Coordinates of all heavy atoms in Angstrom, one line a residue:
H220 N 147.2 6.0 48.5 CA 145.8 6.0 48.0 C 145.3 7.4 48.3 O 145.4 8.0 49.4 CB 144.9 5.0 48.8 CG 145.4 3.6 48.6 ND1 145.0 2.8 47.5 CD2 146.2 2.8 49.3 CE1 145.5 1.6 47.6 NE2 146.3 1.6 48.7
Y221 N 144.7 8.1 47.3 CA 144.1 9.4 47.4 C 142.6 9.4 47.2 O 142.1 8.7 46.3 CB 144.7 10.3 46.3 CG 146.1 10.8 46.6 CD1 147.2 10.1 46.1 CD2 146.4 11.9 47.4 CE1 148.5 10.5 46.3 CE2 147.7 12.3 47.7 CZ 148.7 11.6 47.1 OH 150.0 12.1 47.4
P222 N 141.9 10.1 48.1 CA 140.5 10.3 47.8 C 140.3 11.4 46.8 O 141.2 12.1 46.4 CB 139.9 10.7 49.2 CG 141.1 11.5 49.8 CD 142.3 10.7 49.3
L223 N 139.0 11.6 46.3 CA 138.7 12.8 45.5 C 139.0 14.1 46.2 O 138.8 14.2 47.4 CB 137.3 12.7 45.0 CG 137.0 11.5 44.1 CD1 135.5 11.5 43.7 CD2 137.8 11.4 42.8
E224 N 139.3 15.1 45.4 CA 139.6 16.4 46.0 C 138.3 17.0 46.6 O 137.2 16.9 46.0 CB 140.1 17.4 45.0 CG 141.6 17.3 44.7 CD 142.1 18.5 43.9 OE1 141.3 19.0 43.1 OE2 143.2 18.8 44.0
A225 N 138.4 17.5 47.8 CA 137.3 18.1 48.5 C 137.4 19.7 48.4 O 138.5 20.2 48.5 CB 137.3 17.7 50.0
E226 N 136.3 20.3 48.2 CA 136.3 21.8 47.9 C 135.8 22.5 49.2 O 134.8 22.1 49.7 CB 135.4 22.1 46.7 CG 135.4 23.6 46.4 CD 134.5 24.0 45.2 OE1 133.8 23.0 44.8 OE2 134.5 25.1 44.8
L227 N 136.4 23.6 49.5 CA 136.0 24.5 50.6 C 135.9 25.9 50.1 O 136.9 26.5 49.7 CB 137.0 24.4 51.8 CG 136.6 25.3 53.0 CD1 135.3 24.8 53.7 CD2 137.7 25.3 54.0
K228 N 134.7 26.4 50.0 CA 134.5 27.7 49.5 C 134.7 28.8 50.5 O 134.5 28.6 51.7 CB 133.1 27.9 48.9 CG 132.8 26.9 47.7 CD 131.4 27.1 47.2 CE 131.1 26.2 46.0 NZ 129.7 26.3 45.5
L229 N 135.2 30.0 50.1 CA 135.4 31.1 51.0 C 134.1 31.8 51.2 O 133.5 32.3 50.3 CB 136.5 32.0 50.4 CG 136.9 33.2 51.2 CD1 137.4 32.9 52.6 CD2 137.8 34.1 50.5
K230 N 133.8 32.0 52.5 CA 132.6 32.7 52.8 C 133.0 34.2 53.2 O 133.7 34.4 54.2 CB 131.8 32.1 54.0 CG 130.5 32.7 54.4 CD 130.0 32.1 55.7 CE 129.6 30.7 55.5 NZ 129.0 30.1 56.7
L231 N 132.5 35.1 52.5 CA 132.9 36.5 52.8 C 132.1 37.1 53.9 O 130.9 36.8 54.1 CB 132.6 37.4 51.5 CG 133.5 37.0 50.3 CD1 133.1 37.9 49.1 CD2 135.0 37.1 50.6
A232 N 132.7 37.9 54.8 CA 132.0 38.5 55.9 C 131.0 39.5 55.5 O 129.9 39.7 56.1 CB 133.0 39.1 56.9
L233 N 131.3 40.3 54.4 CA 130.4 41.3 54.0 C 129.6 40.8 52.8 O 130.2 40.4 51.7 CB 131.1 42.6 53.6 CG 131.8 43.3 54.7 CD1 132.6 44.5 54.2 CD2 130.9 43.8 55.8
D234 N 128.3 40.7 52.9 CA 127.5 40.2 51.7 C 127.5 41.2 50.6 O 127.6 40.9 49.4 CB 126.1 39.9 52.2 CG 126.1 38.8 53.2 OD1 127.0 38.0 53.2 OD2 125.2 38.8 54.1
S235 N 127.3 42.5 50.9 CA 127.3 43.5 49.9 C 127.6 44.9 50.5 O 127.6 45.1 51.7 CB 125.9 43.6 49.2 OG 124.9 43.9 50.2
I236 N 128.0 45.8 49.6 CA 128.3 47.2 50.0 C 127.2 48.1 49.4 O 126.9 48.0 48.2 CB 129.7 47.6 49.4 CG1 130.8 46.7 50.0 CG2 130.0 49.1 49.8 CD1 132.2 47.0 49.5
P237 N 126.6 49.0 50.3 CA 125.5 49.9 49.8 C 126.0 50.8 48.7 O 127.2 51.3 48.7 CB 125.1 50.6 51.0 CG 126.2 50.5 52.0 CD 126.9 49.2 51.7
E238 N 125.2 51.1 47.7 CA 125.6 52.0 46.6 C 125.8 53.4 47.1 O 126.7 54.1 46.6 CB 124.5 51.9 45.5 CG 124.4 50.5 44.9 CD 123.3 50.5 43.8 OE1 122.7 51.6 43.6 OE2 123.1 49.5 43.1
E239 N 124.9 53.9 48.0 CA 125.1 55.2 48.5 C 125.4 55.2 50.0 O 124.7 54.5 50.8 CB 123.8 56.0 48.3 CG 123.5 56.2 46.8 CD 122.2 57.1 46.6 OE1 121.7 57.5 47.6 OE2 121.8 57.3 45.4
L240 N 126.4 55.9 50.4 CA 126.8 56.0 51.8 C 126.0 57.0 52.5 O 125.7 58.1 52.0 CB 128.3 56.3 51.9 CG 129.2 55.3 51.3 CD1 130.7 55.8 51.5 CD2 129.0 53.9 51.9
V241 N 125.5 56.7 53.7 CA 124.7 57.6 54.5 C 125.6 58.2 55.6 O 126.1 57.4 56.4 CB 123.5 56.9 55.1 CG1 122.6 57.9 56.0 CG2 122.6 56.3 54.0
F242 N 125.7 59.5 55.7 CA 126.5 60.2 56.7 C 125.6 60.8 57.8 O 124.5 61.3 57.5 CB 127.4 61.3 56.1 CG 128.4 60.8 55.1 CD1 128.1 60.7 53.7 CD2 129.6 60.3 55.5 CE1 129.0 60.3 52.8 CE2 130.5 59.8 54.6 CZ 130.2 59.8 53.2
Q243 N 126.1 60.7 59.0 CA 125.4 61.3 60.1 C 125.8 62.8 60.2 O 126.9 63.1 60.3 CB 125.7 60.5 61.4 CG 124.9 61.1 62.6 CD 125.3 60.3 63.9 OE1 126.1 59.4 63.8 NE2 124.7 60.6 65.0
E244 N 124.7 63.6 60.3 CA 125.0 65.1 60.4 C 125.5 65.4 61.8 O 125.0 65.0 62.8 CB 123.7 65.9 60.1 CG 123.3 65.7 58.6 CD 122.1 66.6 58.3 OE1 121.6 67.3 59.2 OE2 121.6 66.5 57.2
N245 N 126.5 66.3 61.8 CA 127.0 66.7 63.1 C 127.6 68.1 62.9 O 128.6 68.3 62.2 CB 128.1 65.8 63.6 CG 128.6 66.1 65.0 OD1 128.2 67.1 65.6 ND2 129.5 65.2 65.5
N246 N 127.0 69.2 63.5 CA 127.4 70.5 63.4 C 128.0 71.1 64.7 O 128.1 72.3 64.9 CB 126.2 71.5 63.0 CG 125.1 71.4 63.9 OD1 125.2 70.6 64.9 ND2 124.0 72.1 63.7
I247 N 128.4 70.2 65.6 CA 129.1 70.6 66.8 C 130.5 70.9 66.5 O 131.2 70.2 65.8 CB 129.0 69.4 67.9 CG1 127.5 69.1 68.2 CG2 129.7 69.8 69.1 CD1 127.4 67.9 69.1
Y248 N 131.0 72.0 67.1 CA 132.3 72.5 66.8 C 133.3 71.5 67.4 O 133.2 71.1 68.5 CB 132.5 73.9 67.5 CG 134.0 74.3 67.5 CD1 134.6 74.8 66.3 CD2 134.7 74.3 68.6 CE1 135.9 75.2 66.3 CE2 136.1 74.7 68.6 CZ 136.6 75.2 67.5 OH 137.9 75.6 67.5
Q249 N 134.3 71.2 66.6 CA 135.4 70.3 67.0 C 136.7 71.1 67.0 O 137.1 71.6 65.9 CB 135.5 69.1 66.1 CG 134.2 68.2 66.1 CD 134.0 67.5 67.4 OE1 135.0 67.2 68.1 NE2 132.8 67.2 67.7
P250 N 137.4 71.2 68.1 CA 138.6 71.9 68.1 C 139.7 71.2 67.3 O 139.8 70.0 67.3 CB 139.0 71.9 69.6 CG 138.3 70.8 70.2 CD 137.0 70.6 69.4
L251 N 140.5 72.0 66.5 CA 141.5 71.4 65.7 C 142.8 71.4 66.4 O 143.2 72.3 67.2 CB 141.7 72.2 64.4 CG 140.4 72.3 63.5 CD1 140.7 73.2 62.3 CD2 140.0 70.9 63.0
E252 N 143.5 70.3 66.3 CA 144.8 70.2 66.9 C 145.8 71.1 66.2 O 145.7 71.3 65.0 CB 145.3 68.7 66.9 CG 144.4 67.8 67.8 CD 144.9 66.4 67.8 OE1 146.0 66.2 67.1 OE2 144.3 65.5 68.4
K253 N 146.8 71.6 66.9 CA 147.8 72.4 66.3 C 148.7 71.5 65.4 O 149.0 70.4 65.8 CB 148.7 73.1 67.4 CG 147.9 74.1 68.2 CD 148.8 74.7 69.2 CE 148.1 75.8 70.1 NZ 148.9 76.4 71.1
S254 N 149.1 72.1 64.3 CA 149.9 71.3 63.4 C 151.3 71.2 63.9 O 151.9 72.0 64.6 CB 150.0 72.0 62.0 OG 150.5 73.3 62.2
L255 N 151.9 70.0 63.6 CA 153.3 69.8 64.1 C 154.3 70.4 63.1 O 154.0 70.6 61.9 CB 153.5 68.3 64.2 CG 152.6 67.5 65.2 CD1 152.9 66.0 65.1 CD2 152.8 68.0 66.6
N256 N 155.5 70.6 63.6 CA 156.5 71.1 62.7 C 157.2 69.9 62.0 O 158.1 69.3 62.5 CB 157.6 71.8 63.6 CG 158.6 72.6 62.7 OD1 158.8 72.3 61.6 ND2 159.1 73.7 63.3
W257 N 156.6 69.6 60.8 CA 157.1 68.4 60.1 C 158.5 68.6 59.6 O 159.1 67.5 59.3 CB 156.1 68.2 58.9 CG 154.7 67.8 59.4 CD1 153.6 68.5 59.3 CD2 154.4 66.5 59.9 NE1 152.5 67.8 59.9 CE2 153.0 66.6 60.2 CE3 155.1 65.4 60.3 CZ2 152.3 65.5 60.8 CZ3 154.4 64.3 60.8 CH2 153.0 64.4 61.1
I258 N 159.0 69.8 59.4 CA 160.4 69.9 58.9 C 161.4 69.4 60.0 O 162.3 68.6 59.6 CB 160.7 71.4 58.6 CG1 159.8 71.9 57.5 CG2 162.1 71.6 58.3 CD1 159.9 73.4 57.1

């Protein structure tokens, strides 16, 4: 005997993504790591 199919909808964690991304300004000098010898 089978009951009627039960439905479970997927709930997304993110409701929406903003159209424009807001970046935080940061003009503090950041030292660059030395490049590796990829060869």
Side-chain angles (χ1 to χ4, degrees):
H220 301 272
Y221 283 95
L223 295 176
E224 278 192 333
E226 179 183 9
L227 181 66
K228 296 180 180 179
L229 178 63
K230 184 188 296 183
L231 298 177
L233 295 177
D234 296 331
S235 62
I236 299 177
E238 295 181 359
E239 296 183 1
L240 299 179
V241 179
F242 296 94
Q243 182 178 1
E244 294 184 1
N245 186 354
N246 56 2
I247 300 176
Y248 171 76
Q249 298 291 334
L251 299 177
E252 297 181 358
K253 295 182 179 180
S254 59
L255 299 175
N256 192 331
W257 292 107
I258 297 177

